[in-house]
Every structure is written in C-alpha cells, then in structure tokens.
Amino acid sequence: GFGKTALQSLRLLRNVERSVPLGLKGTLGDTQLAIDGDIEGLVTFEGVNLHYDVRGASLALIGPYFGVPLPETPKFSAAGVLTREGNTWKTTDLKGRMGASDVSGTVTVVTGGERPQLEANLTSTMLDLADLGPLIGASNRSRLKPTPKDQALLLPGRDFNFDSLDKLDAHVQVRSQKVVRVADWPFDNFRADFRLKDQKILLDPIEFGMASGKLTGRVELDASKKPVTAGLNARMTGVRVAEIAPDKAAVGEAAGILSGRVDLKGQGSSVSSLLGTSNGRLTLLLSEGNVPGLLPALIDLDGARVLSNLVGKNPEAVRCSAIDLPDQNGVAMPNVAVIETDTTVLTLNGKLNLKNEAMDMKLT
C-alpha cells in the first residue's frame, strides 16, 4: 500500500489551490513536445502556466489531444506560453513556423459552451501560399500524397474535409508583410479576416498588395448545406503588369495597368467541382499598356506575318484591351476579348469548360 508521504503527495496533486511544477519532454505520435511550468491542481487543471515547444508533421495530428479540430498542414513548430483561467486557454508570445512560413501572435480558446470558440491574431514576415494549399484541397507540401486525380487535374480536385466544421467556431485575423507563391507574382501586405460559425465560413476581407496595386476579395462558404455552396467576389485595381514578372520580357514589356473584377458562385466539395458548377462573370481591363513580345512561338505558325509586328522589338501602344467572360454552369464564353493597337486587333472567341478543363478557343 501507499506510505503516509505518498498519500500526502496525492492529496497535494488533487488540491486545486496548490501550484504543482511540471516538466515534460516526449512525443505524441509523430509530434515532439516539451513543456515546463506549473499547474494549479494537476487533476482538474484549474490554472495552467506553461512554456511549450512543439514540433510535428501536421497540426491535424495533435488536434484530437486537445479536443479541437485542426486542419491538415505542412511540418510545423511552435513555442510560447500557455495559460488557463477557468474555461479560457490562451497562448501568448507565440513564435512558430509552418512549412516555409513564419507566424507569431496570440491564440485564445474558450471551452464549456456548445463548441469551442477560437480567436487568433497572427502576424507573419513571410507567408508562403503553398503552405495554405491543404486548406483548399491541394496536396503540395502536406502529408497527403497526390492522388491520380490530383495529378490529372489543373484545378485542385481533392475534397475539402468539412466533417469538423460543426465542432468549432473561430475568428482568425492574419497579416503578413511579404507573400511568396508558386507563380512569381509580387504580393505583399497580406491581410485576412476569417470567421467560422455554424459551419459557415466567411473571409472578409482578404487583401493583397500586388504590383503597386491591390487585390481585395470576399469568400463565403456554407457547409451546412448539401451540396456545399461557395461564393467569391474580388476586385483588382492599379496592378502594374510590368512588375508582375520583370525578368520575363513577354510580360515585363507590357507596362500597363490592370484592373478587374470577378463574381462567382458554385457548389461542390473541391475547387474543381466549385468552378465546374460556377455561375458569374470575370472582367479585366488593361490601360496605358504596350503589347509585349506575345507568345514568340506564334511566329512559327503559318499566316503569322501580322503577328510578327506584335512580337517584335518595338511594342505598340495598346489603345484598348478588355475581357468580359460570363460563366454559366461552369462553361465560360467571352462576350468581349480584344486587344487593339494602332495596326492590329486581336480577338478571342470560343468556349472554356471548367467541368472537364477543356478549351476550344480561336484567336483572330
């Protein structure tokens, strides 16, 4: 049986008014964990003040241990201070990395209600959009291996996992000074306000600084319905095309200002299915531009003598450039698609089918 000293120690551990020092280092599956601090009442966890350092393959692997559903992510590491007062858990002095992205800030989780309430205010000096891929169904840099379906599609075809959306409400604000992405486009000053409530997601706003201009959007997703419905509204203003890829002559010489808007609604559980059922419109306008060395390979086509003027060393001024692309049930057919210079007018007609990623277009 227990001796007198052991029984006294157990009583102390159960005493919610006593602070018990705690140090721990170990693993939870593929996740490494180190904590150091003290707990008021080791059994009931009435009060917690811990320094932590955790590293693992994906946040999704540690969510079950804390009773909070977390998304699939690339490899991550995080360190900070974790406190608890009543039903409120809070992490401060957060310093972490997810994939190639860094993050800092505060995260608060309130339990005891119908479902946990998560609130986070995060900042980053460099955010790699590829690290957010798993959140939109992409498999890059995640634990998930690309499926044959993923590899066959241009648009991400992996289904979103909506099973846990009814287990959490959340409000997350993120800011980043610099943004990196697969396409070498100059994004900066990223800001996003994310809300999840009753299985409904609202991103409003989501903003990027982009090539001296701005891209601002609003995303709504309702997973309480079957099929899932989603909507995207975005506006682009003052984007200088020459800054998008200055090292690529075909774009860098285009020295114009791009503006536009997109309004789309769709249904489905992946990016591919949402666009394949979408309805809406895409409009783009280019002003103060020059026709660049556009698709040099066209020079080799029969009858491309006129195009050689466009792909020559002396770009012509663009008098008018516009695209208006309505989309019905995932099939887009341009009302207007024209680039006009002093000597040439280029028009584009045809059909773009987002359901099967097929394109039947004619350039005149």
Side-chain angles (χ1 to χ4, degrees):
F2 287 106
K4 182 177 181 181
T5 303
L7 289 173
Q8 289 176 340
S9 298
L10 284 175
R11 292 191 188 101
L12 288 176
L13 291 179
R14 294 180 61 86
N15 188 342
V16 297
E17 297 179 357
R18 292 298 297 266
S19 179
V20 178
L22 178 67
L24 177 66
K25 180 178 288 187
T27 61
L28 294 173
D30 295 333
T31 304
Q32 297 178 335
L33 176 68
I35 58 176
D36 179 50
D38 56 76
I39 296 174
E40 292 181 7
L42 189 59
V43 176
T44 57
F45 274 62
E46 288 297 317
V48 173
N49 191 338
L50 299 172
H51 292 267
Y52 65 89
D53 190 314
V54 58
R55 303 166 186 271
S58 171
L59 284 176
L61 296 176
I62 67 171
Y65 294 102
F66 298 97
V68 176
L70 296 175
E72 189 73 46
T73 68
K75 289 183 179 180
F76 74 95
S77 63
V81 176
L82 177 66
T83 60
R84 178 189 180 183
E85 294 183 5
N87 289 329
T88 301
W89 295 78
K90 187 172 185 179
T91 181
T92 55
D93 298 330
L94 170 64
K95 302 292 182 184
R97 297 195 67 84
M98 187 176 72
S101 307
D102 70 278
V103 65
S104 61
T106 62
V107 179
T108 301
V109 177
V110 179
T111 61
E114 181 181 353
R115 49 183 169 259
Q117 310 286 317
L118 182 148
E119 185 163 347
N121 197 326
L122 306 173
T123 60
S124 173
T125 57
M126 200 283 284
L127 176 66
D128 190 336
L129 293 185
D131 294 329
L132 304 182
L135 301 180
I136 62 167
S139 56
N140 291 8
R141 299 192 184 182
S142 78
R143 291 188 311 113
L144 302 176
K145 300 298 182 182
T147 65
K149 181 181 178 181
D150 293 332
Q151 296 170 334
L153 294 173
L154 176 64
L155 300 171
R158 187 181 295 277
D159 289 339
F160 298 102
N161 182 3
F162 297 123
D163 295 341
S164 299
L165 290 187
D166 61 346
K167 296 180 174 64
L168 177 74
D169 288 340
H171 181 199
V172 179
Q173 298 180 79
V174 182
R175 291 179 179 270
S176 181
Q177 299 174 13
K178 182 180 179 181
V179 179
V180 176
R181 55 286 111 212
V182 176
D184 191 19
W185 285 28
F187 290 159
D188 56 27
N189 296 326
F190 171 76
R191 179 168 75 97
D193 191 311
F194 170 93
R195 295 177 186 268
L196 166 62
K197 187 173 178 60
D198 299 329
Q199 301 184 69
K200 298 175 183 178
I201 292 175
L202 174 63
L203 262 169
D204 185 22
I206 179 168
E207 292 183 354
F208 294 90
M210 180 178 174
S212 296
K214 180 180 286 189
L215 179 64
T216 304
R218 172 187 172 96
V219 178
E220 295 180 86
L221 188 147
D222 188 349
S224 67
K225 299 178 179 179
K226 298 294 182 286
V228 174
T229 61
L232 167 65
N233 307 98
R235 304 292 181 269
M236 178 169 53
T237 57
V239 174
R240 295 188 174 275
V241 181
E243 297 180 19
I244 292 177
D247 58 329
K248 297 178 176 62
V251 178
E253 293 176 8
I257 298 177
L258 190 64
S259 61
R261 61 187 294 174
V262 57
D263 296 286
L264 291 174
K265 291 184 178 180
Q267 298 178 335
S269 56
S270 69
V271 172
S272 178
S273 61
L274 285 168
L275 290 177
T277 59
S278 59
N279 289 280
R281 168 168 268 145
L282 168 70
T283 303
L284 294 175
L285 300 172
L286 179 65
S287 62
E288 302 178 24
N290 296 322
V291 175
L294 178 65
L295 302 178
L298 290 177
I299 294 177
D300 298 328
L301 299 178
D302 292 339
R305 180 171 51 84
V306 174
L307 287 176
S308 66
N309 292 329
L310 300 179
V311 299
K313 296 182 179 180
N314 300 309
E316 298 181 5
V318 173
R319 299 174 58 184
C320 172
S321 181
I323 296 176
D324 182 37
L325 193 66
D327 175 23
Q328 292 185 337
N329 296 320
V331 179
M333 300 175 64
N335 282 335
V336 176
V338 60
I339 299 177
E340 181 180 350
T341 74
D342 289 334
T343 64
T344 306
V345 176
L346 289 175
T347 59
L348 187 66
N349 297 287
K351 181 186 298 184
L352 175 62
N353 191 325
L354 297 173
K355 295 179 180 178
N356 57 10
E357 298 188 0
M359 182 170 61
D360 182 11
M361 310 293 286
K362 180 179 181 181
L363 180 68
T364 304

